[in-house]
Structures are given as C-alpha cells and as structure tokens.
Amino acid sequence: MTDLTFQCTGVRADPYAAGPTLVFRLRVTAAGGARVHALALRCQIRIEPARRTYGAAEGEGLADLFGERSRWGATLQPVQFAQVSVMVPGFTGETETDLVVPCTYDMDIGSTRYLGALREGEVPLLMLFSGTAFTGEGGFRVEPVPWDREASYRMPVAVWREMVEQHFPGCGWLRLPRDTMDELLAFRSRRALGSWEATVRVLLDAAGAEQPPAPQPVRLGAVLRRAGERTAP
C-alpha cells in the first residue's frame, strides 16, 4: 500500500469567492517517489480549543460555548469546523493542491461563535484525511487512504477576520425565523425605513423608552429636617 502523508503549508482568504471562503494549501507526499494517478481525498477539519490560551475578553466571549473557566477542563472539547472533498491530479512523489473550504458567518454555528470570540493569535486545527488513491507504476491499483492520516495546522486569526471583512465589512449576521422576518419587513415598510439598521435602531430606541426611569438617589438633606430648622405652621 502506498504510504501517503499530508501537511498544511498555509491558508488564505479567497477574495473572489461569492461567499466567505478559506483556501488551505496542502502538500501530499507518496513515500519512495511512488506514482499516484489520482487521489480522491476527503478532509474533516476540527478546531482543538484546548491547544491555546485565551485572554479575559476572549474568555467572556466563549462563556456561552464552554461555560465558566472553572469548567473548561471538561468542556473545552473539539469543535467541528468543516468537511470537504478534493480531487488531486496525478503526481509522482510529491505535489501541492488547494483545499477550498466554504465558511459561514452564522453565529448559531459553534465554530463561527468560537472564531468570532478570538481577538488575536492562532486557531489550532486538526485535519483528518481519508479517501481513495489510484496508484501503480506499470498498472493500476485502487487503495484506501488510511484513516490515521492527519495534519495539524495553526491558522492565524487575522486570516479569518480578513475573510469576514471581505464579505461583511464592519457588520454582523443574524438568522431569524421566516415569520419574524415577515413581521420585521412589514414594520419597515409601514415606517418607510431605508435599511435594516434603521429598523432595528427604531425598535431598540422604542424598547429603551419603555424602561422605567432609574430611581434617583435620595439626599438626606432633602428629607431630614436640619437641627434648629422650623417647620411651617
């Protein structure tokens, strides 16, 4: 069986993709300079959150995902990031190929919430490989890619932020049920509001106006009569 090994050598944000997309650069090596006619490769990418440290602000942002820091010893478990496939053309010995990973900015997804909470540093990733290799010098053999093939990579947080800014500059993303969206659209139309930002701002201002005023601190001098002060008859 052909001994295949994998290494991730870099990652970049694709500026021309229709949606948020990361492109990982993979190096595939066949031991002994073996001939590979083609490689149908599958890759599962996981985030390994226990393999880095977190600042105070990052810890607060991850609280809804992993709980309080005192519990992180048990809750800091791997998070699924992506599962993609790629067809690697034929090569002898070694080759490099792009692994295109479509991403989402849906904050209901665990991996997106994790990545959105990070401020700097790197994201520890683990790539797990499987698939089918078509090999043979003089003939043609079909071999499975062993399930123990994997590669670690530390993706810069800056690359993720660059990708998000390309598609959602200075913005966030919120998913709502369809009936709620219909109500919001009707409200926006009735008020002739020009954008969703203006719509949400009107609702937030209205909610703030309904809040009861905060109680004012009581000054003792305004309640207690000073010593020697006469009251009105």
Side-chain angles (χ1 to χ4, degrees), residues 87-223:
M87 195 70 184
V88 182
F91 64 95
T92 300
E94 185 175 281
T95 190
E96 291 194 359
T97 189
D98 286 337
L99 184 67
V100 179
V101 179
C103 301
T104 177
Y105 198 40
D106 185 349
M107 297 305 289
D108 287 339
I109 306 298
S111 59
T112 307
R113 288 159 64 191
Y114 173 86
L115 292 163
L118 302 184
R119 298 292 182 267
E120 57 185 10
E122 298 172 328
V123 183
L125 300 177
L126 181 64
M127 298 180 168
L128 306 172
F129 298 98
S130 60
T132 304
F134 303 89
T135 65
E137 291 293 342
F140 191 82
R141 296 196 308 271
V142 178
E143 304 174 354
V145 176
W147 282 84
D148 62 351
R149 304 293 98 160
E150 61 184 43
S152 297
Y153 182 70
R154 302 187 74 87
M155 178 179 72
V157 174
V159 175
W160 169 265
R161 292 190 169 275
E162 176 190 351
M163 179 198 71
V164 172
E165 284 298 311
Q166 287 175 355
H167 296 274
F168 306 101
C171 300
W173 192 94
L174 184 64
R175 182 175 63 179
L176 295 173
R178 181 166 298 172
D179 54 349
T180 304
M181 282 297 302
D182 291 340
E183 292 181 37
L184 280 174
L185 183 59
F187 177 85
R188 175 178 171 177
S189 299
R190 288 195 304 270
R191 298 294 186 93
L193 299 170
S195 66
W196 286 115
E197 179 183 1
T199 304
V200 175
R201 176 50 55 191
V202 168
L203 292 171
L204 289 176
D205 290 345
E210 294 174 359
Q211 296 295 326
Q216 298 296 321
V218 178
R219 295 182 299 161
L220 292 178
V223 177

